[in-house]
Amino acid sequence: MTDFGFLPSKIDRVVVLSGAGISAESHVPTFRGEDGLWKNYRAEQLATPEAFSANPELVWEWYAWRRSLISKCEPNAAHHACAKLEKALPESWIVTQNVDGLHRRAGAEKIVEIHGSIWKIRTMDRREERFDWDPETGSTPELIPWSEAQPRRMLRPGVVWFGESLPEDGLDKAVELCRTADLCVVVGTSGLVFPAAGFPEIAKHAGVPVIDINVQPTNISSYADAFIKGPAGEALPPLVDEIIARSG
Ligand code: OAD
């Protein structure tokens, strides 16, 4: 049983920073786990603008495979705990690196998807962006979607690729949340990809207590105020209950 003595006595605003590990128990492959490989490619070889311009069909095949796989996955206890936290503490937010949409399917609404959404498609210049697949209906979109406004223009997945900058609004919001929270809870990230990997440090430097939940220690756990070793689906629900008990 975790000793929650490290928690502040009064908590109203929590920022949850989630990574692929929060969806691992929903059977969504993480990026750097042993299940991160597909057809001998690594995500870094497919999730880039260069890969897309060189072979858009292969990149769309990879995303179609991921979308089909994720559409069969359900939110787990960790996603539901985050939604419960938001309902109990309305000033709390989730900043997620994940593109799987499982936080939203668990009922959370105050979410910053800093790496975009696998359910979105858009033009390169972002002028046209829309959801093209609702995992609840499971309808299968065309493998390669084309712009409605500019018929000969191929649309790309609405996600952030390696080497691309994050949308400004999401980045600014995430930083502001980390600076002004009463508590920062990091769940299931290797802390290797910036700028997201730097968010817990921003919280820490602003005097916000940081908790890291992971099945193994990371750089973040080395400076966090507390490291809870364990699967998110087991570790997060009791922590959320303890936070709610200290709210308002
Ligand atoms: P990673 O695959 O790098 O790391 C997943 C983390 O989750 C690891 O630290 C695991 O130890 C941990 N983990 C695995 N199972 C867990 C469980 N059941 N409970 C808790 N933790 C668990 O995924 P991310 O850190 O999310 O970026 O990767 C960050 C970014 O790198 C992704 O958003 C993506 C990728 O490239 C882009 O696509 C731009």
Side-chain angles (χ1 to χ4, degrees), residues 30-204:
T30 61
F31 284 90
R32 295 171 181 83
E34 64 285 346
D35 59 3
L37 280 175
W38 174 67
K39 288 186 181 177
N40 305 319
Y41 288 95
R42 299 262 337 141
E44 290 82 346
Q45 291 172 282
L46 288 163
T48 67
E50 295 75 21
F52 187 71
S53 51
N55 191 340
E57 289 77 11
L58 176 65
V59 172
W60 263 119
E61 188 187 343
W62 185 59
Y63 278 94
W65 169 75
R66 285 182 65 195
R67 295 203 305 182
S68 170
L69 180 143
I70 296 169
S71 69
K72 300 179 185 72
C73 299
E74 292 298 325
N76 64 58
H79 296 107
H80 290 298
C82 292
K84 178 179 175 182
L85 180 66
E86 180 190 310
K87 298 274 180 299
L89 277 64
E91 291 182 70
S92 296
W93 280 77
I94 298 164
V95 175
T96 187
Q97 299 173 81
N98 301 340
V99 298
D100 58 30
L102 288 181
H103 279 300
R104 205 171 302 282
R105 286 180 58 198
E109 292 170 2
K110 298 168 83 174
I111 307 167
V112 181
E113 293 177 317
I114 51 165
H115 290 165
S117 169
I118 203 166
W119 309 115
K120 268 186 185 163
I121 52 176
R122 68 173 177 82
T123 48
M124 283 303 198
D125 60 11
R126 282 183 192 282
R127 274 203 222 126
E128 195 178 325
E129 179 171 70
R130 66 180 187 273
F131 283 99
D132 81 319
W133 192 6
D134 173 353
E136 303 300 342
T137 59
S139 63
T140 310
E142 292 300 312
L143 173 62
I144 296 190
W146 298 88
S147 164
E148 287 164 359
Q150 307 156 72
R152 281 187 303 285
R153 176 169 277 197
M154 184 187 293
L155 296 182
R156 53 163 284 180
V159 299
V160 173
W161 280 332
F162 290 96
E164 292 186 317
S165 52
L166 274 59
E168 285 294 313
D169 54 349
L171 197 52
D172 294 345
K173 178 74 180 170
V175 170
E176 181 237 334
L177 289 168
C178 289
R179 284 205 178 116
T180 57
D182 298 321
L183 180 66
C184 173
V185 180
V186 185
V187 194
T189 182
S190 56
L192 295 175
V193 176
F194 287 82
F199 292 161
E201 268 179 298
I202 290 172
K204 183 83 180 165

Side-chain angles (χ1 to χ4, degrees), residues 177-246:
L177 289 168
C178 289
R179 284 205 178 116
T180 57
D182 298 321
L183 180 66
C184 173
V185 180
V186 185
V187 194
T189 182
S190 56
L192 295 175
V193 176
F194 287 82
F199 292 161
E201 268 179 298
I202 290 172
K204 183 83 180 165
H205 290 154
V208 177
V210 174
I211 301 172
D212 183 34
I213 296 176
N214 201 312
V215 292
Q216 60 188 355
T218 65
N219 172 51
I220 295 169
S221 23
S222 68
Y223 65 76
D225 296 83
F227 170 54
I228 302 177
K229 183 176 166 72
E234 285 173 26
L236 198 51
L239 174 63
V240 162
D241 288 342
E242 185 63 32
I243 291 169
I244 293 172
R246 295 166 185 243

